[in-house]
């Protein structure tokens, strides 16, 4: 059949003007763009189509079809979603080719320039993937006309026809025989040629603008992947061929000379592995006929950057320079993006500098990439400064181009410059300001966005809500939700996740649960983040019932419970005292066989921290049965034994690690050494410190310091010194803390010589004394009465930023008090009062000094101040006050102070009754009576203290008129 076409409009489709057959079959056609001459007729002088493109076929309504056929086509329109009718009633399939209903006797004509194929057989037709019709072969013969030469093939050939991916027919390849080639026009003079079934045929047919290659299409699946269907045309076939066939010459042979720039771009963009992308890129370059522009290079730079192929990126950049491919804005943006995300921020900044040096102003996308880079690095100030500079440059460029300033975002401090930005950029800026804590600037950006008429998106509101909530502005969160509703910007799942998280964080768990319900009411499906956030909030508040309801929901939806949530709920059950429930919860995940080593460790730690050592051991054994033991499980189990004071078990478990093929790590040794040292077992701790040294795991003096401190604590100073010397021998350098421990130890025993020795050694090693060491030295000098050394050390201590602490100041007050250096003591005391650091001991030292120097008026004022501040809580303070009252003859106040002691459950000591005896003697009570009272107290403290109180009351009340309390102070 032969048909004649005419182009009738600019839609690249054709009408059939006439046909040699009364019934027109389904026709697939591929023709090129051709020039239209007068009368809209196609002009193709040589009957060849050089540039091919798939086009649709139109039929005039009713032309070539009888009424019965038209009715069937109308039926197809209703039943087949891939067909539609144009305004003139023409039937058209999704890809532009017509499909006729099944059950008709059809004839097919495929026209491609000089190539014409005529087939004639009766069959049922269906539409192939590219729109061409394929018939099920059952006739004895098929006649094909190729370049004017008739070919007749056997019925067997017809029955063996297979559909290729692009919808054409080919015979399956028989690889056992010889091969004969049919290539467009046959060079032989034979009009017919029989095709034998055992011959191997390599068919190359250019039909419909596509080259069908037998040995390529064998390897390509019948249907293209759905993920590529959006591209249409030949691209899905190309991509699947590249995925299926490793040899590029073979895979791309059908389109070798017809690939467009767009097709090359998509092919590169769709590559997953950088090696394959580079191979295709090099293939394009080798062919020479495929021009590679800057977009192709940009794609390759991004692919290589994602794979961290920095050397390949630099080589590609050099190649661009050699080929004179000028980089554009997006080129630099791509380089900055991949380098910053690859952890090479300095190199990313070099690309930005190079961009600036070439006088290129970053576009909005590149600007967003740079701002994001600074934001991820936490350098929010630099992000703001870059935005200011960019805004100013962009404003100047637009002013030069447009001749007038434009309204837009005005960056804080950017001298009034403003540019118009997209909603995505506004969102990025708001997020940057929010993470920098610049809430005011974020709000200004948000309001500017509204003034510009750019509608905020859900992402915008999510960012604003998250920022306000993290800065404690929960009222503004509610205001933003109302504004979101007013603008009819509907919250998404992330919005509700943020709201739930914020309210849980601010301890409003009721509101968090309310938003969870509102989320469901809005027909939004909670995701794993939603459940995880709310579950954690419930678990730390021991809200068992609420947590279990959520777990049931997750189980119904078959949602995965992550390991962090699992361990949090284990802790919740333990905190709620539901030990058995916590164990069954652990068992659920253990029996599922999906727990990681970290999850086992978290559960063992949860049991161990709360003293449930049996459950911790059972969890440890479960892990051991599952053969998932790591050092981590041993470490947390050792810690659990330490918390339960089972030190022997901890040591045994530590020693058994090698039996399980594991070696203790630094954490193992440090945990055990610290545990034993804290339990006053320095000898055991020292043995493990030596093992740690032998294992080569000691990289600092911390383990030795813990053991030395333990020896000092138990009074074995000699062993502490010996271990210190051993540490020096194995070349472990002591730090200022170790020296401080030894200096303080010798200060406690008053050994100035040894303390000074370690102080000198420390300075020789290049270490400077800290405040702790100077405080120890002041304590030492106060104890031995070295005034000058104490004063010098105190001055050194005052030179520190924090200044002298209250302990060292009290030591100096005590030292001055013993020497009756009232003025110096008062200076230090007043300084403590100004800073609010004066404590009960400070007042007590001043009281002693005033009493010792007969300054009773100042002493009484000091006592009153102590009572006002509530600093009468210690036995020493009461004894000092009683001594003052006894010395100054204030017997009534002395009695009141004694009764106050008894009511506050502070037990008097010998010093207390010594002062009270002075009161009785001064009131005329015989010495023998006082001795008898003291003897009674020692035999029975409770009865004795009551007799003392009775004696004091009776004597003081009787002599009240003779010995009145003075009110002159």
């Amino acid at each position: 059949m032969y048909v004649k076409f005419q182009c009738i409009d600019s839609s690249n489709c054709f009408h059939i003007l006439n046909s040699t057959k009364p019934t027109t079959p389904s026709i697939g056609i591929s023709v090129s763009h051709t020039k239209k001459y007068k009368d809209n007729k196609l002009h193709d002088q040589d009957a060849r189509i050089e540039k091919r493109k798939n086009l649709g076929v139109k039929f005039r309504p009713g032309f070539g079809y009888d009424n019965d056929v038209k009715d069937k086509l109308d039926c197809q329109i209703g039943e087949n979603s891939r067909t539609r009718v144009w305004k003139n009633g023409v039937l058209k399939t999704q890809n532009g080719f017509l499909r006729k209903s099944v059950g008709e006797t059809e004839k097919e004509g495929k026209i491609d320039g000089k190539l014409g194929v005529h087939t004639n057989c009766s069959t049922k037709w269906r539409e192939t993937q590219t729109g061409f019709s394929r018939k099920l072969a059952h006739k004895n013969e098929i006649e094909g006309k190729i370049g004017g030469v008739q070919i007749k093939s056997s019925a067997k050939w017809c029955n063996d026809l297979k559909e290729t991916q692009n919808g054409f027919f080919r015979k399956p390849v028989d690889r056992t025989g010889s091969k004969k080639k049919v290539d467009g026009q046959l060079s032989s003079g034979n009009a017919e040629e029989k095709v034998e079934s055992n011959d191997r045929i390599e068919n190359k047919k250019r039909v419909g603008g596509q080259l069908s290659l037998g040995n390529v299409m064998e390897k390509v699946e019948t249907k293209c992947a759905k993920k590529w269907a959006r591209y249409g045309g030949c691209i899905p076939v190309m991509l699947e061929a590249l995925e299926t066939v490793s040899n590029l010459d073979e895979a791309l042979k059908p389109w070798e000379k017809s690939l467009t720039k767009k097709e090359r771009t998509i092919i590169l963009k769709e590559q997953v592995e950088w090696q394959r992308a580079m191979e295709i890129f090099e293939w394009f370059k080798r062919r020479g006929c495929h021009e590679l522009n800057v977009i192709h290079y940009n794609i390759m730079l991004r692919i290589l950057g994602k794979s961290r192929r920095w050397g390949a990126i630099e080589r590609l950049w050099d190649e661009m320079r050699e080929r004179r491919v000028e980089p554009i804005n997006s080129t630099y943006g791509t380089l900055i993006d991949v380098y910053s995300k690859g952890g090479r921020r300095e190199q990313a900044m070099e690309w930005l500098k190079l961009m600036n040096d070439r006088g290129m102003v970053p576009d909005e996308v590149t600007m967003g990439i740079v701002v994001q880079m600074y934001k991820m690095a936490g350098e929010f100030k630099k992000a703001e400064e870059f935005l200011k500079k960019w805004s100013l440059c962009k404003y100047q460029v637009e002013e030069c181009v447009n001749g007038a300033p434009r309204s837009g975002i005005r960056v804080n401090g950017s001298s009034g410059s403003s540019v118009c930005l997209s909603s995505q950029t506004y969102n990025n800026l708001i997020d940057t300001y929010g993470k920098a804590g610049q809430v005011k600037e974020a709000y200004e950006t948000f309001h500017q966005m509204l003034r510009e008429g750019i509608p905020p998106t859900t992402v915008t509101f999510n960012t604003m809500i998250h920022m306000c909530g993290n800065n404690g502005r929960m009222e503004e969160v509610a205001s933003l939700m109302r504004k979101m509703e007013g603008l009819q910007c509907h919250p998404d799942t992330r919005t509700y996740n943020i709201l739930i998280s914020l309210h849980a964080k601010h301890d409003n768990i009721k509101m968090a649960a309310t938003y969870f319900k509102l989320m469901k009411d809005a027909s939004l499906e909670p995701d794993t983040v939603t459940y995880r956030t709310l579950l954690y909030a419930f678990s730390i508040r021991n809200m068992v019932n609420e947590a279990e309801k959520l777990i049931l929901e997750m189980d119904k939806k078959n949602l995965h419970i992550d390991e962090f949530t699992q361990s949090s709920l284990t802790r919740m059950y333990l905190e709620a005292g539901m030990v058995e429930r916590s164990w069954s919860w652990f068992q659920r995940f253990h029996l599922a066989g999906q727990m990681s080593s970290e999850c086992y460790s978290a559960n063992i730690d949860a049991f161990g921290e709360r003293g449930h050592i049996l459950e911790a051991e059972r969890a440890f054994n479960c892990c051991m049965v599952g053969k998932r033991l790591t050092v981590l499980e041993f470490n947390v189990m050792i810690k659990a034994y330490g918390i339960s004071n089972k030190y022997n078990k901890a040591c045994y478990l530590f020693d058994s690690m090698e039996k399980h093929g594991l070696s203790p790590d630094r954490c193992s040794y440090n945990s055990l050494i610290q545990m034993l040292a804290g339990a006053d077992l320095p000898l055991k701790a020292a043995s493990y410190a030596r093992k740690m040294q032998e294992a080569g795991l000691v990289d600092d003096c911390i383990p030795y310091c813990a053991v030395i401190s333990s020896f000092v604590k138990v009074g074995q100073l000699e062993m502490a010194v010996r271990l210190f010397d051993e540490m020096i021998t194995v070349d472990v350098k002591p730090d200022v803390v170790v020296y401080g421990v030894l200096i303080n130890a010798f200060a406690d025993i008053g050994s100035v010589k040894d303390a000074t020795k370690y102080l000198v050694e420390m300075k020789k090693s290049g270490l400077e004394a800290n405040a702790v060491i100077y405080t120890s030295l002041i304590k030492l000098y106060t104890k031995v009465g070295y005034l000058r050394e104490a004063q010098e050390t105190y001055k050194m201590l005052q030179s520190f930023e924090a200044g002298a602490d209250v302990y060292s100041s009290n030591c100096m007050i005590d030292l001055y008090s013993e020497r009756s250096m009232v003025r110096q003591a008062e200076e230090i005391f007043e300084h403590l009062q100004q800073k609010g650091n004066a404590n009960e001991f400070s007042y007590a030292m001043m009281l002693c000094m005033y009493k010792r120097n007969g300054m009773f008026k100042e002493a009484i004022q000091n006592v009153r101040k102590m009572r006002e501040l509530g600093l009468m809580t210690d036995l020493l303070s009461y004894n000092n006050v009683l001594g003052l009252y006894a010395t100054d003859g204030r017997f009534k106040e002395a009695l009141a102070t004694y009764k106050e002691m008894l009511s506050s459950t502070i037990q008097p000591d010998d010093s207390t009754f010594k002062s009270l005896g002075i009161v009785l003697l001064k009131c005329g009570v015989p010495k023998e009576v006082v001795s008898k009272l003291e003897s009674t107290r020692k035999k029975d403290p409770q009865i004795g203290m009551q007799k003392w109180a009775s004696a004091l009351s009776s004597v003081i009340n009787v002599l009240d008129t003779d010995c009145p309390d003075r009110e002159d102070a």
Side-chain angles (χ1 to χ4, degrees):
M1 179 194 75
Y2 293 94
V3 294
K4 184 177 180 181
F5 295 88
Q6 181 180 3
C7 179
I8 55 94
D9 53 25
S10 59
S11 63
N12 289 332
C13 293
F14 300 87
H15 282 270
I16 297 180
L17 294 180
N18 51 57
S19 171
T20 59
K21 298 291 181 180
T23 303
T24 307
S26 299
I27 293 178
I29 183 169
S30 179
V31 297
S32 68
H33 287 295
T34 58
K35 296 180 180 179
K36 288 193 287 186
Y37 293 91
K38 294 180 180 179
D39 302 326
N40 287 331
K41 291 182 179 180
L42 296 175
H43 179 72
D44 192 8
Q45 187 174 0
D46 298 325
R48 289 178 179 272
I49 305 300
E50 295 178 358
K51 296 181 180 179
R52 292 174 171 80
K53 184 175 180 180
N54 288 334
L55 301 175
V57 177
K58 281 187 180 178
F59 295 98
R60 291 177 183 168
F63 186 88
Y65 284 91
D66 53 26
N67 292 331
D68 182 60
V69 174
K70 284 191 289 182
D71 291 339
K72 291 182 179 180
L73 291 177
D74 291 337
C75 180
Q76 277 191 0
I77 293 170
E79 294 177 353
N80 190 347
S81 61
R82 299 203 305 166
T83 60
R84 57 191 174 94
V85 178
W86 292 2
K87 61 184 179 180
N88 57 359
V90 174
L91 180 65
K92 190 176 186 294
T93 63
Q94 189 177 24
N95 49 18
F97 298 105
L98 191 65
R99 186 177 76 160
K100 189 174 179 182
S101 58
V102 177
E104 295 292 332
T105 301
E106 297 186 345
K107 299 177 182 180
E108 179 182 20
K110 294 183 181 176
I111 302 172
D112 182 15
K114 195 172 180 180
L115 178 62
V117 179
H118 175 211
T119 62
N120 187 5
C121 55
S122 176
T123 185
K124 293 183 179 180
W125 294 79
R126 65 178 179 83
E127 183 185 7
T128 64
Q129 193 170 9
T130 56
F132 294 105
S133 298
R134 170 192 174 217
K135 74 184 191 65
L136 300 175
H138 67 276
K139 297 292 286 183
N140 292 332
E141 291 184 351
I142 294 178
E143 294 181 355
K145 194 168 191 176
I146 303 179
V149 180
Q150 283 286 27
I151 299 178
K152 182 181 291 185
S153 57
S154 64
K156 180 176 176 56
W157 197 96
C158 184
N159 290 329
D160 289 341
L161 283 175
K162 292 180 68 177
E163 181 189 358
T164 62
Q165 192 170 10
N166 53 11
F168 299 111
F169 303 122
R170 65 176 175 82
K171 181 181 177 183
V173 177
D174 185 352
R175 303 185 182 277
T176 60
S178 60
K179 66 178 181 178
K180 295 191 178 186
K181 188 177 292 184
V182 179
D183 187 7
Q185 298 180 16
L186 295 180
S187 58
S188 63
N190 296 332
E192 281 187 346
E193 187 168 338
K194 288 188 177 181
V195 184
E196 298 178 359
S197 61
N198 291 332
D199 289 344
R200 179 177 177 177
I201 301 175
E202 183 178 357
N203 296 312
K204 294 183 181 179
K205 302 177 183 178
R206 186 171 294 278
V207 185
Q210 300 188 35
L211 190 64
S212 178
L213 186 63
N215 59 345
V216 173
M217 295 307 175
E218 268 181 57
K219 301 178 183 179
V220 181
E221 296 179 4
T222 303
K223 293 185 178 180
C224 296
K226 291 182 180 179
K227 62 180 178 180
W228 297 321
R230 66 184 185 276
Y231 292 121
C234 303
I235 293 174
V237 184
M238 296 178 189
L239 292 171
E240 195 156 350
L242 286 169
E243 191 174 85
T244 310
V245 183
S246 59
N247 187 287
L248 290 179
D249 290 331
E250 187 179 352
L252 294 174
K253 186 67 175 177
W255 311 278
E256 180 179 1
K257 295 182 180 179
S258 61
L259 282 173
T260 65
K261 292 180 181 178
K262 178 182 176 182
E263 289 169 344
R264 292 195 294 274
T265 301
I266 293 172
I267 286 172
L268 289 174
K269 187 179 178 182
E270 286 294 330
Q271 300 310 308
V272 177
E273 297 180 354
W274 71 270
Q275 296 94 333
R276 184 63 166 174
M278 203 68 194
E279 185 182 359
I280 294 170
F281 189 73
E282 294 296 330
W283 188 87
F284 286 154
K285 287 192 292 186
R286 285 198 306 272
R287 290 296 158 180
C289 58
H290 301 302
E291 176 191 353
L292 294 174
N293 57 32
V294 67
I295 301 300
H296 301 128
Y297 277 94
N298 288 354
I299 294 170
M300 287 305 304
L301 290 172
R302 181 165 295 281
I303 291 172
L304 293 172
K306 285 182 177 180
S307 301
R308 310 290 193 265
R309 313 306 298 182
W310 313 118
I313 288 177
E314 292 175 3
R315 289 191 293 273
L316 204 61
W317 178 261
D318 294 336
E319 181 182 305
M320 288 178 67
R321 188 171 51 201
E322 292 172 2
R323 290 175 174 261
R324 296 184 179 181
V325 178
E326 288 296 325
I328 58 177
N329 227 306
S330 58
T331 309
Y332 290 103
T334 299
L335 289 166
I336 294 168
D337 188 37
V338 297
Y339 272 90
S340 62
K341 288 179 179 177
R344 299 195 167 203
R345 199 170 63 84
E346 292 182 2
Q347 290 87 336
M349 293 306 302
E350 290 176 6
W351 288 114
L352 178 61
K353 182 177 181 299
L354 181 61
M355 184 180 188
N356 294 331
D357 291 343
R358 295 191 175 184
M360 190 177 291
V361 178
D363 60 14
E364 190 177 338
V365 176
T366 306
M367 180 275 293
I369 289 171
V370 176
V371 169
Q372 183 73 10
M373 176 184 68
Y374 282 125
K375 183 171 67 175
M376 296 305 291
E379 297 180 347
F380 304 107
K381 191 67 178 176
K382 288 185 178 181
E384 185 181 3
E385 290 173 357
F386 174 79
L387 180 59
K388 289 178 185 177
K389 293 178 183 178
W390 177 84
S391 179
L392 180 61
C393 293
K394 194 74 174 174
Y395 170 79
Q396 292 171 347
V397 170
E398 290 184 355
E399 192 173 22
C400 293
V401 173
N402 301 324
R406 296 174 60 186
S407 62
I409 185 171
R410 186 168 291 181
V411 182
N412 184 28
S414 58
S415 304
S417 61
S418 60
V419 292
C420 289
L421 304 175
S422 66
S423 61
Q424 184 178 0
T425 303
Y426 274 108
N427 294 342
N428 192 6
L429 295 177
I430 292 169
D431 188 44
T432 302
Y433 284 129
K435 288 180 177 174
Q438 298 176 336
V439 181
K440 180 182 177 183
E441 289 78 4
Y443 259 103
E444 288 176 356
T445 306
F446 177 68
H447 291 310
Q448 183 66 39
M449 183 181 186
L450 297 177
R451 286 194 296 270
E452 288 300 312
I454 298 175
T457 63
T458 305
V459 175
T460 312
F461 280 105
N462 288 350
T463 307
M464 289 293 295
I465 291 169
H466 192 259
M467 176 196 69
C468 291
N470 282 337
N471 286 276
R473 302 187 174 196
M474 297 305 292
E475 293 180 1
E476 294 177 25
V477 168
S479 174
L480 285 167
M481 287 299 295
R482 290 192 294 270
K483 185 173 289 188
M484 193 175 186
E485 184 179 355
L487 293 173
Q488 299 207 345
C489 184
H490 301 292
D492 59 5
T493 301
R494 176 162 171 73
T495 311
Y496 284 105
N497 286 349
I498 292 170
L499 290 167
I500 291 169
S501 176
L502 290 174
H503 284 90
K505 178 182 176 183
H506 288 86
D507 206 23
N508 191 350
I509 193 64
K510 184 178 179 181
M511 198 63 194
T514 300
Y515 274 116
F516 181 69
K517 183 178 181 300
L518 290 173
M519 183 182 189
K520 291 180 177 179
D521 294 342
S523 300
L524 289 172
E525 192 70 22
D527 58 11
T528 52
V529 176
T530 317
Y531 285 105
R532 184 167 64 240
T533 304
L534 207 50
L535 271 176
Y536 181 72
F538 287 150
S539 68
I540 61 176
R541 292 169 176 82
N542 298 332
M543 299 172 68
V544 178
N545 292 332
E546 291 80 357
E548 289 186 337
K549 287 179 183 177
L550 287 183
I551 294 168
L552 287 174
E553 284 187 30
M554 293 183 74
D555 289 342
K556 287 179 182 178
K557 295 178 180 180
N558 200 24
L559 291 176
H560 174 68
I561 298 176
D562 66 288
E563 294 186 341
F564 178 79
T565 304
Q566 190 277 331
S567 59
S568 298
L569 284 152
T570 300
R571 294 175 187 274
M572 175 193 72
Y573 286 123
L574 292 172
E575 289 289 344
M578 304 170 68
V579 181
E580 289 300 322
R581 186 73 185 89
S582 69
W583 178 252
S584 63
W585 175 252
F586 166 80
Q587 281 281 84
R588 166 182 168 174
F589 292 86
H590 164 64
L591 295 175
Q594 296 178 347
M595 288 180 69
S596 68
S597 174
E598 290 77 11
C599 192
Y600 277 110
S601 302
N603 282 270
I604 295 169
D605 195 39
F607 290 122
E609 280 186 347
R610 287 152 184 82
H612 301 290
I613 193 65
L614 293 178
E615 285 73 17
E617 288 177 334
R618 289 169 69 189
F620 182 83
N621 291 333
C622 286
C623 185
M624 183 166 57
V625 169
K627 297 182 179 180
R628 296 188 179 182
L629 280 179
T630 66
V631 177
L632 191 57
E633 283 77 34
F634 278 94
N635 290 350
V636 292
M637 195 63 226
I638 289 169
K639 173 187 171 184
Y641 281 133
I643 292 172
S644 299
N645 299 326
K646 296 182 180 298
Y647 306 114
N648 290 333
K649 281 193 172 185
C651 294
Y652 176 80
L653 187 65
F654 182 93
D655 296 336
S656 68
M657 289 177 71
E658 292 184 359
K659 296 179 182 178
H660 295 275
L662 298 171
S663 298
D665 59 7
R666 283 189 178 86
C667 183
S668 310
Y669 278 107
N670 283 328
S671 178
L672 187 62
I673 291 169
Q674 295 285 346
M675 177 201 309
L676 295 173
D680 297 340
L681 298 170
L683 287 174
K684 274 192 174 183
S687 67
Y688 284 105
R690 294 185 182 99
K691 289 180 181 179
M692 185 179 181
Q693 174 63 35
E694 292 170 1
L697 295 175
V698 176
D699 53 4
D700 54 42
C701 62
I702 292 176
Y704 284 97
C705 183
V707 183
I708 289 170
S709 298
S710 184
F711 276 126
V712 170
K713 182 181 176 182
V714 298
Q716 298 182 22
L717 187 53
E718 184 180 345
M719 292 295 296
V721 171
R722 189 179 300 173
L723 186 61
F724 177 84
D725 294 337
E726 181 182 320
M727 180 182 72
I728 300 295
T729 304
V730 295
D731 200 27
V732 176
K733 297 185 181 301
D735 61 6
V736 68
V737 177
V738 178
Y739 280 113
V741 169
L742 290 173
I743 290 170
N744 187 67
F746 286 111
D748 284 335
I749 64 174
S751 177
V752 177
K753 179 181 176 182
D754 290 318
T756 305
K757 169 192 170 185
Y758 287 108
L759 180 65
V760 172
E761 283 186 15
M762 183 188 70
K763 291 182 177 180
K764 283 183 179 180
S765 64
L767 297 172
E768 292 292 331
N770 57 20
V772 175
I773 290 176
Y774 283 127
T775 301
S776 298
L777 290 173
I778 288 174
K779 177 175 66 174
L780 171 63
Y781 297 142
T782 301
K783 185 172 290 190
V784 297
Y786 285 14
L787 179 61
R788 182 176 60 81
E789 289 80 357
Q791 287 175 324
E792 291 176 354
T793 305
Y794 191 73
K795 286 181 181 178
M796 292 294 295
L797 195 56
Q798 287 178 313
S799 65
F800 285 90
E801 183 179 355
D805 63 354
V806 64
Y807 179 81
S808 58
S809 297
N810 287 342
C811 287
M812 292 303 298
I813 291 172
D814 187 31
L815 194 60
Y816 286 134
S817 174
E818 289 180 357
R819 286 165 175 72
S820 298
M821 300 173 68
V822 178
R823 184 178 58 81
Q824 291 86 343
E826 286 179 336
E827 286 179 358
I828 295 176
F829 182 68
E830 288 172 5
H831 182 69
L832 287 175
Q833 284 182 312
Q834 290 172 2
K835 294 176 66 177
N837 291 336
N839 59 14
E840 187 172 351
F841 188 77
S842 308
Y843 281 95
M845 292 300 99
M846 293 300 295
L847 176 60
C848 290
M849 184 187 68
Y850 287 137
K851 185 181 73 169
R852 187 181 297 115
N853 289 276
M855 301 172 67
F856 297 113
K857 182 179 179 180
E858 290 80 0
I860 295 299
Q861 289 176 344
N862 198 61
V863 171
R864 289 176 178 172
K865 189 69 175 177
M866 288 177 71
R867 291 186 182 278
E868 288 175 9
L869 296 174
L871 295 178
M872 289 279 291
T873 61
D874 188 72
L875 176 62
L876 177 63
S877 299
Y878 277 103
N879 287 343
N880 285 332
V881 171
L882 282 173
L884 172 65
Y885 289 152
T887 305
D888 196 31
R890 294 177 178 269
F891 306 138
K892 187 177 180 180
E893 293 180 2
L895 175 61
T897 302
Y898 177 64
K899 288 182 178 181
E900 183 182 334
M901 287 181 70
L902 296 180
S903 62
S904 62
T905 67
I906 294 177
Q907 292 295 320
D909 62 358
D910 291 343
S911 179
T912 308
F913 292 103
K914 181 180 179 181
S915 297
L916 292 174
I918 293 173
V919 171
L920 291 175
L921 291 173
K922 282 189 175 184
C923 291
V925 177
K927 188 175 181 181
E928 292 79 8
V929 175
V930 174
S931 299
K932 188 177 179 180
L933 286 171
E934 184 63 11
S935 176
T936 303
R937 181 186 69 85
K938 289 182 178 180
K939 289 179 180 179
D940 191 336
Q942 292 298 324
I943 296 175
M945 285 190 292
Q946 292 299 325
K947 286 190 175 183
W948 269 98
S950 299
L952 286 167
S953 297
S954 60
V955 172
I956 291 172
N957 288 333
V958 171
L959 299 177
D960 188 24
T961 55
D962 299 330
C963 303
D965 287 332
R966 291 171 293 175
E967 301 295 340
D968 54 336

